[in-house]
Amino acid sequence: MTRSIYRVIPVFALIFGFFGAAVFAQTAGVSNVPPAVQQVQDSIRKVLDDSGRNFHEGMVALKANRRSDSGAAFDRSVETFLMSTLDIQRDKSLQSCYSQLIETIYRIEFPNASQPPQIRSLSATCQWKWNDVDMKLADDVAAITKTLKPSASAVAVNGNTPAGAQAPTDAIIGFNEQGFEPSPRDELAKLELTPEEQEVESNPEAQQQYQYIQVAVSNRSLGFSFQVHPMIQQYINYYRGRGRSTMEIGLYRSGMFMRMARRIFREEGVPENVAWLGQVESTWKPTALSWAAASGLWQFIPGTGARYGLQRTAYVDERNSFDEATRASARYLKFLANRYGGNWELAMAAYNCGEGNVDRAIRRAGTSNFWAAYPYLPRETRNYVPNILATILIANNPGQYGFGHVRPAPPLLYDRIRVPGSTNLSILAQASDTSVQYLRYLNPHLRSNTTPPEPYVINVPPGKANEVVAVFKRIPASRINNSTLANSVTGETWQTIANRTGVGVGELMAANPGMKQPRGKVFVPVNANKINTISYTRPTNVPVTGSGIQVVKAQAGDTVAKLAARHGADPTEVAKYNGLLPNSVLGAGREIKIPGK
């Protein structure tokens, strides 16, 4: 132990010597700062300035109500830190700026009058050199968030939203508003059955189906019991008529998630068929959003989601997750069923409108029976429970009700792995041979292209878990976001990879210790400070065009194909001209030549 301490002391002495000399030089008015210190200071300054420039672009877009552009700019502001070669956690100025940046973007995207975004404070922390016009813009953006009322979702912790209440601020979440889809719950609240749909006794076919319901309930073939009521058949009539397309879409999309939902409900001790509640809640759309800020497959409002462990932070909103939200839904339903003595109709009602409303309805009815409490429940809930029961009956025997032609979609398959904190999805996409867009599709709960700052479980394409874990084991977590991956082919050398990545052979070998020759995926270090000094080597068999060459800079997350498409060029030609492959990942700021047409 003593030897280790003495070995470390010279390193700290050396570091202190560099920075101590810098402080002394500044104090004494001397400008000859040691080159090593100056290089670090310049690198830090560049990261802060680049982040500030992107954040400024985000504010401009937000003020112009271009929310998608604003979100992209704010993402770039964060990615500037992640794509740098600097250790954010060890430098106080970087760490402070990064942490406050995340918090400020969150406050802008999720407006809350009691906690407005502190943009001026952020600019001071990050040492952004803003003028009066910039500060005025910052105040304008902060004012935009103040005009929105505080979230009203808190009043609905038990689902007790006051009648006539306006949509809470939480309903206007996200910079990419088009990413959310209307929840079918909103339409359900307004649904009125027609006289034809309500007719059961005089309709021979409906009467026959109604008798089937009685048989199914009596022999408990659905895994739980409920009281037979004509309104259940009335909703079956609705789905066989004007609601047919809604049922067809739901039955099709159920194939993606129902296997997962049945497994989790079974593990939690909830009847598997109760999972069809998800079809009425969201039509199996993970991005469904209701007027009351209920979100995801299972339409959790923020308060109830938090009660059952669903995180909602600047990094994730787990109400939109697959597994986590499904398990939370099963646990909530089990809690409600226990509360009402195993009565699943009352449990479903409470899932929709909250325990408070159901408890009051039971008190007024004088009995714990859904149909007795029915007149005292909110209108949406009166529709909700028989709707779910009708859906369960149709889903368990689609042929009998005229839906035998609907073939459910294949199950959405994915592997689940734990990744280091603050992992950029671009490196994860490269490791799993997919795109950032598909990773976002598999992880709709991620709110940006970066995972939370702590180790976190995410979904990757099926069959890729072992491969991704093996890749991540080869590099320290602190260097993951400072690297990209390149696919090597049989017979390739470090020199050929150096030619097409612009990174020296020595750096490549250092980034891939123990690998004498490239094989499979190899790490390519990203060093933004060297981008402008690298001399890229073009293959000798590609002629140099005399004119019409356009030089462009890559953005974070770009591949050759993506950059070429943005500039209307042929990806294969651009790749050949720059000694790269069409799927080669480019570091932010890298210069690429676009050959003339």
Side-chain angles (χ1 to χ4, degrees), residues 441-455:
Y441 175 75
L442 291 179
N443 298 272
H445 53 296
L446 293 180
R447 301 189 59 246
S448 71
N449 290 343
T450 307
T451 65
E454 66 277 354

Side-chain angles (χ1 to χ4, degrees), residues 244-245 247-249 251-252 398-408:
R244 173 171 291 275
S245 62
M247 178 59 65
E248 289 175 336
I249 292 171
L251 290 176
Y252 170 77
Q400 176 173 328
Y401 296 103
F403 294 95
H405 63 286
V406 180
R407 184 176 181 180

Side-chain angles (χ1 to χ4, degrees), residues 12 31 55 98 109 151 177 330 410 433 483 511 520 586:
F12 282 107
S31 59
F55 186 88
Y98 178 76
E109 191 169 4
S151 169
E177 293 173 305
D433 295 317
S483 305
L586 307 172

Side-chain angles (χ1 to χ4, degrees), residues 155-162 301 304 307 332 350 352-357:
V155 302
V157 170
N158 290 321
N160 304 328
T161 306
I301 58 174
T304 309
R307 281 169 58 189
Y332 184 33
N352 177 255
C353 68
E355 303 97 294
N357 279 327

Side-chain angles (χ1 to χ4, degrees), residues 149-153 155 161-171 291-293:
K149 295 180 180 180
S151 169
S153 60
V155 302
T161 306
Q166 295 184 351
T169 300
D170 289 309
W291 75 270

